[in-house]
Amino acid sequence: MKILKIAWATFIAVLLGFIFFVITDLVMISLGFAYNKTGNAVLDWLTLPQEMDRIYLVIYPLSILVYSIIFFKWINKEEAQVHWDIKTGVVCSIMAGIAFGGISTLWVMLLKNTALSNIGFIKSSLEYLNASSANKSTISFIISLVVAGILAPINEEIIYRGVTFNFLEKRVNTKYALIVSSLMFGIIHLSFVQSVYATIMGLISGIVYMKTRKLRWSILIHITINTLATYELTSNLIWVAFTIIMFLPLGAMLYKLLKTKTNYAY
């Protein structure tokens, strides 16, 4: 019976995650239909196939609204074990985001510079990653910065650290919620290279949320990661070295968070 309960809870959690894809399809269909009927210039700008980021200026705010309603209805009222003040939270979150840049860079370098890059699915995954970071115009860069750097992190943290984590924690347990929500977050990136480091990121953000019970910190971690990724700093060796050095404070922070069992402020 316990296994069936876990399986059912996991199935529902997956369905909750798919709400985003339903919203995406509905918005695309609706805007496309409206443009075909009206020929409106704004709709034409939003639905231009070569600039797919634009349509997410509509999709993400709508998804954030829907998932926020679900989150506030289902949020687990567990008490935080760690209380960060604003300064500590901002510093720790930005530091974690920068350090994660080093993790993802080392992972991609490992795949690119070893025989692993010749494996079919890894090769295609690396090609997809390179294609997604092609040079863009100034307006496209700004839109990407808003969409990928701000809206996507807010949306994904509410879905996976908010709704999914809380749903699974209530119905199974905290550790299961942390692992499964992180795996789900990794899998939805649909690319092997990204899925691996996104799962790691999910664990880092999940631990921070699990201990602080504040989505604001996992959102800030995610915003830091995505914003830096938008600027494509991996070619700067000094920056890469700095992100790797940040592994030390990240490890110390995670150790301190996991070690804490009772209410603690720092």
Side-chain angles (χ1 to χ4, degrees):
M1 287 296 292
K2 186 176 181 180
I3 294 176
L4 287 175
K5 181 182 177 182
I6 293 173
W8 178 247
T10 306
F11 176 70
I12 297 299
V14 171
L15 289 182
L16 287 170
F18 268 100
I19 292 175
F20 171 72
F21 297 101
V22 174
I23 292 171
T24 299
D25 286 342
L26 288 175
V27 169
M28 288 183 170
I29 292 170
S30 298
L31 291 183
F33 177 79
Y35 171 68
N36 289 332
K37 288 292 184 180
T38 65
N40 183 276
V42 174
L43 294 176
D44 181 34
W45 185 84
L46 282 171
T47 57
L48 188 68
Q50 294 83 359
E51 299 284 350
M52 286 304 295
D53 278 353
R54 295 177 184 177
I55 202 167
Y56 284 95
L57 292 169
V58 177
I59 293 170
Y60 279 137
L62 182 58
S63 178
I64 289 168
L65 175 62
V66 171
Y67 278 104
S68 293
I69 293 170
I70 297 172
F71 173 64
F72 286 115
K73 179 178 175 60
W74 285 352
I75 186 172
N76 199 339
K77 300 298 183 180
E78 290 287 334
E79 187 175 358
Q81 294 180 336
V82 172
H83 295 277
W84 283 348
D85 58 31
I86 295 297
K87 180 181 178 181
T88 302
V90 169
V91 170
C92 287
S93 299
I94 292 176
M95 176 273 297
I98 293 172
F100 178 79
I103 295 172
S104 59
T105 298
L106 288 179
W107 168 240
V108 173
M109 287 174 62
L110 170 67
L111 295 179
K112 282 184 175 180
N113 298 295
T114 63
L116 292 171
S117 62
N118 296 319
I119 299 174
F121 70 93
I122 294 178
K123 184 178 180 180
S124 60
S125 184
L126 287 170
E127 289 172 351
Y128 171 79
L129 191 65
N130 290 333
S132 65
S133 60
N135 291 330
K136 299 179 178 181
S137 66
T138 301
I139 185 66
S140 294
F141 174 78
I142 293 172
I143 292 172
S144 293
L145 195 60
V146 172
V147 169
I150 299 174
L151 295 178
I154 295 172
N155 183 61
E156 290 172 355
E157 290 306 309
I158 293 173
I159 295 174
Y160 296 101
R161 253 59 68 189
V163 172
T164 304
F165 180 93
N166 279 283
F167 179 84
L168 290 172
E169 185 179 44
K170 277 185 174 182
R171 287 153 184 81
V172 186
N173 59 53
T174 303
K175 289 182 180 178
Y176 186 82
L178 173 64
I179 294 169
V180 173
S181 63
S182 300
L183 285 171
M184 286 176 59
F185 175 65
I187 291 169
I188 58 101
H189 284 78
L190 303 177
S191 159
F192 173 75
V193 175
Q194 290 178 299
S195 292
V196 171
Y197 64 63
T199 300
I200 296 171
M201 187 209 129
L203 288 169
I204 294 171
S205 293
I207 290 169
V208 170
Y209 174 73
M210 178 179 71
K211 290 296 184 176
T212 65
R213 297 291 162 169
K214 298 294 184 184
L215 272 178
R216 68 179 70 134
W217 305 132
S218 65
I219 288 173
L220 183 54
I221 291 171
H222 203 151
I223 286 176
T224 302
I225 292 166
N226 283 23
T227 300
L228 293 174
T230 303
Y231 280 96
E232 299 176 19
L233 297 170
T234 53
S235 59
N236 187 317
L237 294 180
I238 295 175
W239 173 256
V240 173
F242 174 65
T243 63
I244 293 171
I245 290 171
M246 296 301 283
F247 288 179
L248 293 174
L250 173 63
M253 182 195 79
L254 293 175
Y255 174 77
K256 197 168 185 179
L257 285 172
L258 291 171
K259 184 181 175 183
T260 304
K261 301 297 182 183
T262 56
N263 258 289
Y264 182 71
Y266 69 90

